[in-house]
Amino acid sequence: MALRDLTARFEPVAWGLPLVLAVVGLMAMVAWLAPAPPPPPLRVAVGPWIGYEPLVLASETNDLPASVRLVESVSNTESTQLLREGMVDLAGFTLDEAIRLASDGTDLRIVAVLSDSHGADAVVVRPGVESLADLRDQRVLVEDTAVGHLILQRALAGAGLSLADVRKVQVQAPYLPARWREGDAAAAVVYEPFLSEMMADGAVPLFTTASNPGLVLDVLVARADVLDARRGDVVALLQAWDRGVAAFRQPDTLPLGLLTADGRVDSDTYRRALAGIAFFDLDENRRFLGDRPAPVQASIDALVAILREGALGADLRVAPDLVDARFVEAAARVRPPGAAP
């Protein structure tokens, strides 16, 4: 082919190439200058435990940060599973559940203590059961969680019994009242608001956390890989929790109609249930997590000793960096003007 013919053949390409390059360069510049898409919402799982209600209130009143989504799970069992599988970034569950999940290999950190049960967890029995010692060989309804078995273990030990001396029937917490009404179980391990519901049906508490403070601490746990990447969102979440706690310390002004909309308990029962919960605000968290020695460490040590008496035994492992107080410190330092001290 002659050189003149070859040049003529590729002449359109030669003229069009600069235009193509210019368009590609322009598109690259637009992409570079355009703002990055927002990160996905920070997902926080909580079960139907009254100790998480300040977060529920924040969600219902649109007081959570726009970057946070509350995931209301069926139970703490589901919350731990969601966190383990990476389906949520943070979750609320009991301290002993956090210890066990970390021991099983999930890389997590405790970033706040949410509440302490002061009577909101109990072992209840049917009328006619005179003592916990009468539960030998009887059916006991209990959720398949570490805390459920922990409470039952502690209650039975006071009566000279062990977990092997009763017939455990595993029931998730929301289904306990209905299962209790079937009438074939002598006792149940239950927490609020289901405790009040079952007491209204005649259940009698023989063991409660009112005489065992610190046995059932609920904590906010985060996957370790989330914390540095979403530091600002975690701090904002803790500030929303703090505002929620402040609201719950003025129960007469709570929107009880909103909080009892599921119809399980009425407003008066809900108020009574709140009497069994001590919520931790940011300042209490700073002392509980950050003081040296940290009070939370004493609770961890006591629970580890109890858990090592159970099935895990010596296999239970506790990482030295399980607690991370940096976020409550940051949240307390940067409270907006006019916020509660």
Side-chain angles (χ1 to χ4, degrees):
M1 180 180 295
L3 179 60
R4 182 173 14 179
D5 295 338
L6 188 62
T7 301
R9 181 174 179 180
F10 286 99
E11 186 174 6
V13 175
W15 279 102
L17 184 59
L19 179 60
V20 171
L21 292 175
V23 171
V24 170
L26 181 60
M27 293 174 62
M29 182 176 293
V30 169
W32 181 69
L33 293 175
L42 195 72
R43 299 154 300 175
V44 185
V46 296
W49 161 239
I50 202 167
Y52 307 134
E53 289 290 273
L55 284 179
V56 175
L57 177 63
S59 178
E60 293 290 341
T61 58
N62 296 317
D63 191 38
L64 283 179
S67 57
V68 174
R69 295 290 182 273
L70 200 66
V71 178
E72 295 191 51
S73 64
V74 172
S75 65
N76 278 9
T77 302
E78 184 180 17
S79 293
T80 58
Q81 182 177 350
L82 290 171
L83 190 80
R84 180 190 296 113
E85 295 177 356
M87 302 299 291
V88 298
D89 307 296
L90 297 95
F93 40 74
T94 55
L95 178 57
D96 61 290
E97 288 167 328
I99 292 169
R100 292 190 63 166
L101 193 59
S103 179
D104 289 343
T106 301
D107 192 9
L108 57 82
R109 301 291 183 271
I110 295 168
V111 296
V113 177
L114 302 180
S115 63
D116 186 8
S117 177
H118 288 187
D121 292 78
V123 177
V124 298
V125 299
R126 293 198 179 279
V129 176
E130 298 297 328
S131 72
L132 293 169
D134 295 339
L135 296 181
R136 185 184 294 274
D137 296 326
Q138 297 296 312
R139 286 191 181 91
V140 178
L141 309 181
V142 58
E143 190 171 20
D144 186 23
T145 62
V147 71
H149 289 85
L150 179 64
I151 292 170
L152 183 58
Q153 178 188 37
R154 179 64 66 88
L156 293 175
L161 301 178
S162 71
L163 293 176
D165 293 320
V166 299
R167 298 161 62 190
K168 298 186 295 296
V169 179
Q170 294 179 1
V171 182
Q172 285 196 320
Y175 309 115
L176 277 167
R179 182 65 179 78
W180 178 255
R181 295 183 190 108
E182 295 181 15
D184 63 341
V189 182
V190 61
Y191 55 76
E192 293 289 10
F194 312 111
L195 171 59
S196 292
E197 185 177 352
M198 290 172 64
M199 288 175 63
D201 283 341
V204 179
L206 286 189
F207 176 92
T208 79
T209 50
S211 56
N212 292 267
L215 182 62
V216 182
L217 287 173
D218 275 84
V219 294
L220 184 65
V221 171
R223 294 182 62 87
D225 58 358
V226 168
L227 289 177
D228 288 331
R230 306 294 295 270
R231 178 185 177 86
D233 293 331
V234 175
V235 168
L237 170 65
L238 291 174
Q239 290 173 329
W241 165 262
D242 194 57
R243 293 190 296 271
V245 170
F248 270 80
R249 289 178 176 171
Q250 301 178 38
D252 291 340
T253 63
L254 283 173
L256 294 180
L258 190 65
L259 294 168
T260 60
D262 60 5
R264 283 192 171 276
V265 295
D266 58 28
S267 295
D268 290 337
T269 303
Y270 189 89
R271 283 195 187 94
R272 288 195 298 271
L274 286 176
I277 292 291
F279 294 112
F280 283 65
D281 63 17
L282 284 177
D283 290 315
E284 289 161 330
N285 262 287
R286 293 176 83 178
R287 293 190 291 271
F288 205 71
L289 301 185
D291 282 356
R292 291 293 178 265
V296 70
Q297 191 59 50
S299 296
I300 290 172
D301 293 342
L303 283 172
V304 166
I306 294 170
L307 290 169
R308 281 182 173 154
E309 296 173 3
L312 287 180
D315 292 335
L316 189 71
R317 297 286 184 268
V318 182
D321 58 352
L322 180 61
V323 176
D324 191 338
R326 294 177 299 159
F327 297 88
V328 294
E329 287 287 346
R333 283 198 307 268
V334 296
R335 280 191 183 107

